[in-house]
Amino acid sequence: NCLYTRQCMWRGINNRRFPRANYKCLITIGTKGAAKYFLTHTENIGVGGICVSLEEGLGVFNEVAVEVALKDGLPPIKCKGNVVWAVKSQIVKNSARTTKFDTGVEFVNLKEDEQARIENLVEKLI
């Protein structure tokens, strides 16, 4: 039973195929159509993808360009990704209200050596 029907990749936050670890690193996400770029930090990361908090929703199933700067001294990981889920939330701080979109991005064409870098990182963290 999948939470969405597209290839049954996303199986729910507690039923992931790949473990995730809380890890803050710089990430750039670019959209195809409107050529928007978001510079943010990861909430968590795994070989299968990342979770990020964005100021705008990207729309589920949209393709994005991803660049992840791990703190390992190597060049950033660059790949494509698919937005597989998004949760809109309101944050109130000092009477100011901000909208955020926690967004799950599945890696699409991650190279084998880049998978190994992320896998090693996650193993060390969990």
Side-chain angles (χ1 to χ4, degrees), residues 26-30 36-40 50 65-69 77:
L26 199 58
I27 180 165
T28 304
I29 296 182
K36 292 182 185 175
Y37 290 91
F38 300 90
L39 185 62
T40 187
I50 52 165
V66 178
E67 185 174 315
V68 182
I77 293 172

Side-chain angles (χ1 to χ4, degrees), residues 6 28-38 54 56-59 61-66 79-83 105 108-109:
R6 186 172 176 207
T28 304
I29 296 182
T31 63
K32 211 174 180 182
K36 292 182 185 175
Y37 290 91
F38 300 90
L54 303 174
E56 269 183 58
L58 296 178
F61 306 129
N62 283 335
E63 186 179 291
V64 292
V66 178
C79 68
K80 290 183 182 171
N82 286 325
V83 177
V105 178
V108 173
N109 61 341

Side-chain angles (χ1 to χ4, degrees), residues 2 4-10 60-63 82-83:
C2 290
Y4 78 88
T5 57
R6 186 172 176 207
Q7 300 173 351
C8 287
M9 288 297 196
W10 172 246
V60 178
F61 306 129
N62 283 335
E63 186 179 291
N82 286 325
V83 177

Side-chain angles (χ1 to χ4, degrees), residues 75-110:
I77 293 172
K78 295 180 183 181
C79 68
K80 290 183 182 171
N82 286 325
V83 177
V84 292
W85 60 268
V87 176
K88 182 179 179 180
S89 62
Q90 297 284 322
I91 299 168
V92 179
K93 187 175 179 180
N94 299 330
S95 301
R97 185 171 288 213
T98 307
T99 301
K100 292 285 184 185
F101 293 84
D102 289 336
T103 306
V105 178
E106 173 187 31
F107 296 134
V108 173
N109 61 341
L110 201 57

